[in-house]
Each structure stands twice: as C-alpha cells, then as structure tokens.
Amino acid sequence: MAKRELSIAFQTDKRAREYINLAKLVDQYAFDAVTVYCDAPYHPSFGPLLLMAPHIKRARLGPAGVPPSRMHPLDIAAGTALLADLAQAGVYLGLVRGGWLAEHGIRELDPPIRAMREAIDIIRALLAGESAGYEGEVFQIAEHVRAPYPLPGEEIPLQIGTWGAKLAALAGEVADEVKIGGSANPAVIPLIADYISLGEARAGRPKGTVNIVIGAVSVIDGDREAARWVARKAVSLYMPIVSKLDPTLDIDPQLMTRIQACVNAGEDDEAARLIPDDILDRFLFAGEPADIVAHCERLYDAGAQRIELGTPHGVTEAATGIHLIGTRVIPALRGWLSR
C-alpha cells in the first residue's frame, strides 16, 4: 500500500514576502507536500512556487493544477523544469481542465479529454529531452522543437485534478495521482477509484496504481465553534457548485438554491447559517485538531493516499492553523497510521 501523506495548500493571492514567510513556516513541520492553486485571476502557480522553493527542504512542491487552456504545454514544461531545478525535496505537476474559465474570457480547449492527453504527451516529451513535435487534434508543434533549458534528473510525477469519469479514466492510463478538489467526503473516494480503474485496465496497469488525493478548505483552531463558523462562511461560496459534482451527496436542491441566493446577495452570514453540520463536514475540514485528525482517518480508511488541507487554515491568520496542524494533527496521524 502506498504511503499515506498529508499536504498543505495555499491560494495565490499574496505578496512575494508572504509566500516566502509561509514557506519558512511550513518547513518547520513534517508536511509531505506543499501545493499552490492556479485559479484565475490569482497569480499563476509557478511564480509563488519559485519564491517558496529555496525555503522548503522537507516537502515536495507542485501546482494543483494548471489548465492547458491557460498555459501552453511548452510553458508548463518550462516552468516545471525550472521549479525542479530549485526545489530541494522534489516536485510534482498538477493539471486540470479548469473551472469558471468563461468568466475570465478563457476558452476551454476542445475536445477537452483529447486536449489533456496531447498536453501530457508534449510536456513529458520536452521534460525527457525529446522532440516536442506533435501533429495532434488540438496541438501542433514543429518537429525540431526541443527543451533548450536544463532538464529534471528524473521523471516528474503527474497529478490530474478531476471529478469526471472520462478524465479520471485518462488519469488511470497516464497519471500518478488524481486530485478531488473541494471535497472532504469519504464516500466519493471509492467512486473516483472506480473511474480510475477503467483507465488502469486499458493501460494494463494494476488497479490502485494511481493514488487518490482529496483536499478542501481547512480551518483549525482551539475554539471549535469559531473554526466551524469561519468554515461555514468559506464553504458557502463553492458548496452550490461542488454539490453538483458529487453524485454521492443527497442534499436538498432547494437548500443549495437558498444558499446560492444568499451568496449572490452578499448575505454571507445568512448563507453560513443555512449549512447543517453533517453537510459541512463533507465539503471541508473544520474544528479543533482532534476533529481534523478524526476526519483524516475516515478519508484514509476510504482509500485516500494523500489529504490536502487548504486555505485559510486559521480563524484569523494562517499561521495559527498551520502551527496546530504541524504540532497536533501530523503527530497524531503518524501515530494512528503506525498502528
């Protein structure tokens, strides 16, 4: 069985100095990976990662994830190579189709699954020092094109972020991990594993070759109720969208409609009050350290290989939550996993 891991993730909305300070902070604790998002219109991933890399010695780094519709595979490969040259404990590359692209005037590549397969082919060829020459349905690159920069010394692990059956199956063929984003629901993990297994079978890979990562908003504090209130307000912004992606959820559609109406009206407190406790815990991590530990145990039991605790981490500042994760959550989970 693959090693069970815990990672931490950050939104890319910070000043340069903040990325550096966060890197120094997380490196004090035994995180397995440090991730930054690549959501429009925030900073694209590679800039923040390059700022953080000199200060992180213990954890591998990666973006989760980059849409090839926003960044060409040539540029994704180049950014990955430069990050690999600077990172001290390894890197991974996360790719996604991307969400809410149309809101930012970005057209998704079509057909999307074919576009992802071609992007992966091109990125891997470049990082292996091969010709990127490609005459695909989506991408066309001249045969003479090769990476003109120093290459990574080893193959870069590939993560695909998705909820979809077709893209998860593609990951089963070609990827190392699948990331389920915006969820902390144990019930969805076996479903995504089934999607992945179809691709694993097509490629002749053993079932379970591809690891599952699950991650979402996290708020950890000594004051349980304060943490869960902040979490309620954070999750109300994306719950109506993610609830449509997870077929294992049995949530009253009218509740989602009411929550969305409150969000649209700027009534964040009212939206938060509408969210029941049992529903809240399927979308994020919130509470005291013991709550987070118990939640992670349920996700590991359901088949997750890596759990990713995302922004904002603390009630008033990230550092408080990160300290509690590093000193209370990680040691407790290491003890539980060693039993």
Side-chain angles (χ1 to χ4, degrees):
M1 179 179 290
K3 176 188 174 185
R4 303 299 174 91
E5 296 185 321
L6 188 76
S7 55
I8 191 164
F10 298 100
Q11 185 57 275
T12 55
D13 56 352
K14 300 163 180 52
R15 293 185 178 276
R17 174 53 58 183
E18 290 180 83
Y19 292 119
I20 294 170
N21 288 342
L22 282 171
K24 292 177 178 178
L25 176 61
V26 299
D27 198 52
Q28 297 176 33
Y29 308 112
F31 290 103
D32 295 291
V34 176
T35 293
V36 303
Y37 303 135
C38 194
D39 301 331
Y42 301 98
H43 298 143
S45 296
F46 287 112
L49 287 169
L50 289 166
L51 286 168
M52 298 174 86
H55 309 284
I56 295 178
K57 304 176 182 65
R58 306 174 65 163
R60 65 187 181 278
L61 302 173
V66 183
S69 52
R70 285 187 60 202
M71 185 178 290
H72 194 281
L74 291 171
D75 297 320
I76 297 173
T80 302
L82 188 58
L83 180 61
D85 193 49
L86 194 57
Q88 301 172 70
V91 302
Y92 79 90
L93 171 63
L95 299 176
V96 293
R97 285 176 58 176
W100 304 284
L101 297 175
E103 293 182 11
H104 306 293
I106 301 168
R107 181 177 299 174
E108 183 174 8
L109 300 173
D110 186 55
I113 307 304
R114 183 67 210 174
M116 184 66 76
R117 186 186 291 274
E118 292 184 10
I120 292 166
D121 288 345
I122 293 165
I123 292 165
R124 281 186 163 160
L126 285 164
L127 292 178
E130 301 168 1
S131 164
Y134 209 87
E135 191 60 41
E137 187 176 349
V138 180
F139 295 106
Q140 295 81 41
I141 300 176
E143 187 65 33
H144 69 272
V145 175
R146 295 176 182 270
Y149 41 76
L151 297 172
E154 55 188 27
E155 186 173 342
I156 303 298
L158 174 66
Q159 177 191 101
I160 293 179
T162 186
W163 285 80
K166 291 181 180 179
L167 193 50
L170 174 63
E173 294 183 50
V174 301
D176 300 283
E177 294 181 330
V178 165
K179 166 77 179 289
I180 310 168
S183 178
N185 181 12
V188 78
I189 294 173
L191 177 67
I192 299 298
D194 286 343
Y195 294 161
I196 295 168
S197 69
L198 297 176
E200 289 171 329
R202 282 202 299 261
R205 305 172 88 185
K207 186 174 182 178
T209 296
V210 177
N211 292 336
I212 292 179
V213 181
I214 189 165
V217 162
S218 66
V219 186
I220 301 95
D221 194 83
D223 184 337
R224 184 175 192 271
E225 292 310 312
R228 292 180 74 78
W229 175 247
V230 170
R232 275 188 169 80
K233 294 182 71 170
V235 79
S236 65
L237 300 176
Y238 69 83
M239 178 184 285
I241 297 165
V242 174
S243 65
K244 298 174 183 177
L245 300 174
D246 188 344
T248 71
L249 294 173
D250 183 18
I251 300 176
D252 181 359
Q254 293 184 354
L255 173 61
M256 292 297 102
T257 300
R258 292 199 299 274
I259 292 171
Q260 185 66 67
C262 290
V263 170
N264 293 345
E267 298 170 354
D268 295 347
D269 286 0
E270 184 58 32
R273 290 189 189 98
L274 290 171
I275 303 171
D277 265 2
D278 62 327
I279 291 178
L280 183 72
D281 288 330
R282 284 179 269 178
F283 287 89
L284 49 66
F285 305 88
E288 296 175 322
D291 296 311
I292 309 306
V293 171
H295 198 155
C296 289
E297 290 171 359
R298 293 193 295 273
L299 290 167
Y300 287 135
D301 281 339
Q305 276 80 39
R306 177 155 63 90
I307 297 169
E308 191 154 86
L309 301 178
T311 300
H313 307 115
V315 169
T316 57
E317 57 180 22
T320 301
I322 293 169
H323 175 73
L324 288 172
I325 298 166
T327 59
R328 302 276 298 280
V329 175
I330 291 177
L333 286 174
R334 294 287 187 266
W336 179 78
L337 289 168
S338 67
R339 292 203 296 266

